[in-house]
Amino acid sequence: MIIDELIVEITRRCNMNCKHCLRGYAQNKDMDYNTMVKILTNIDSIGLVIFTGGEPSLNVQGLKDFLRLCKDKSIPIGSFYIATNGTNSEDFIDVIFDLYNYCLDKKSSHIDISRSHYHYEQDEEMIKKLKCLSFVKERKEYFSPLKREGKSLKGKPVEIIPLELEDNIVKGNVYLNVNGDICSSCDLSYESQDKYKIGNIHRQTLQNILVEGENYEQFSN
């Protein structure tokens, strides 16, 4: 099975407490190894993998584990994307460099350092080091409209778009959270993920979730 876009909630920890955060308040949770094994079972390739959180650089071991599993299972990755606050971790630089080298589409693989007015007291030395990599850029504006989720009281409701399984290709945003739940939107708060999940990878395979999952709903005003 091929996944067009896989979004991996690698951690719910965060070094910041931004007022606009659509996830809500940080939690002391990381994705465990077994959850990664489950999502990568019977997967032939991944077009794009996005590591999100929380702050992804706070779970470097999780990033290493995911990449190692893809290598061990010979699962090619087209490209990757990470938005980061730039926390102080030399290991983070090592693993994103390895991830970049593993991806087939290097032109589309990149990292954004979040530098908008929502962020504060960032590690400037670490940001300088990250910017030495050709695929790392600063993002000084918040990149998408605010969603009315989590701590944000402004913005539009999140639209839930169903995933599609066609000719063994999963089309849409496959969002895997730290609990193993599958959602079809990357813009849900931790609370909303519990409401709108369509299955759990520890109880069913991804294919079964797509075929037998709960009905999709949309947020209403």
Side-chain angles (χ1 to χ4, degrees):
M1 190 162 57
I2 297 169
I3 302 178
D4 268 352
E5 184 170 321
L6 176 62
I7 305 165
V8 180
E9 187 186 272
I10 202 74
T11 184
R12 288 187 172 180
R13 292 184 287 140
C14 193
N15 58 315
M16 292 190 176
N17 187 23
C18 300
K19 292 185 293 185
H20 75 296
C21 184
L22 64 82
R23 300 285 182 232
Y25 291 93
Q27 300 174 11
N28 189 26
K29 290 184 177 181
D30 289 335
M31 181 172 288
D32 64 29
Y33 183 80
N34 192 43
T35 301
M36 298 180 203
V37 172
K38 293 286 187 179
I39 193 64
L40 294 174
T41 299
N42 297 323
I43 299 301
D44 298 309
S45 69
I46 301 170
L48 167 66
V49 61
I50 298 173
F51 293 101
T52 187
E55 168 50 47
S57 65
L58 293 178
N59 187 12
V60 171
Q61 186 58 53
L63 297 172
K64 290 180 179 179
D65 288 342
F66 188 93
L67 179 56
R68 186 174 72 252
L69 279 168
C70 286
K71 290 179 177 180
D72 290 346
K73 294 174 175 289
S74 298
I75 300 173
I77 299 173
S79 59
F80 82 97
Y81 175 75
I82 298 174
T84 179
N85 295 324
T87 57
N88 189 11
S89 172
E90 297 292 340
D91 287 344
F92 179 59
I93 291 179
D94 291 340
V95 71
I96 60 175
F97 189 73
D98 289 344
L99 182 59
Y100 176 79
N101 284 329
Y102 184 72
C103 287
L104 302 175
D105 183 1
K106 291 179 173 52
K107 288 185 178 180
S108 300
S109 298
H110 68 285
I111 288 179
D112 278 339
I113 303 171
S114 301
R115 299 282 273 174
S116 73
H117 65 280
Y118 293 110
H119 301 89
Y120 55 90
E121 296 181 1
Q122 291 176 281
D123 190 320
E124 299 299 330
E125 288 301 315
M126 186 62 186
I127 287 172
K128 286 181 182 178
K129 293 176 183 178
L130 285 168
K131 287 171 65 178
C132 291
L133 299 173
S134 62
F135 55 92
V136 177
K137 300 179 294 183
E138 282 187 301
R139 189 183 68 205
K140 295 187 178 181
E141 298 294 332
Y142 192 62
F143 74 103
S144 66
L146 291 176
K147 303 297 191 299
R148 196 160 68 240
E149 281 287 297
K151 288 187 284 182
S152 176
L153 301 178
K154 299 179 180 180
K156 296 182 178 180
V158 175
E159 183 181 6
I160 307 299
I161 301 175
L163 296 168
E164 296 181 6
L165 180 60
E166 183 179 334
D167 296 329
N168 216 35
I169 301 173
V170 186
K171 299 181 178 181
N173 304 137
V174 179
Y175 189 99
L176 173 70
N177 73 13
V178 295
N179 301 315
D181 295 326
I182 298 291
C183 302
S184 62
S185 172
C186 62
D187 291 329
L188 295 170
S189 67
Y190 298 139
E191 183 179 1
S192 293
Q193 288 175 22
D194 290 337
K195 181 180 180 182
Y196 289 93
K197 62 188 177 186
I198 60 172
N200 186 282
I201 204 71
H202 293 287
R203 294 192 290 271
Q204 294 176 286
T205 64
L206 178 59
Q207 186 170 18
N208 285 341
I209 289 172
L210 296 173
V211 172
E212 303 171 10
E214 302 167 12
N215 292 330
Y216 294 92
E217 300 180 56
Q218 288 189 342
F219 279 81
S220 62
N221 295 323

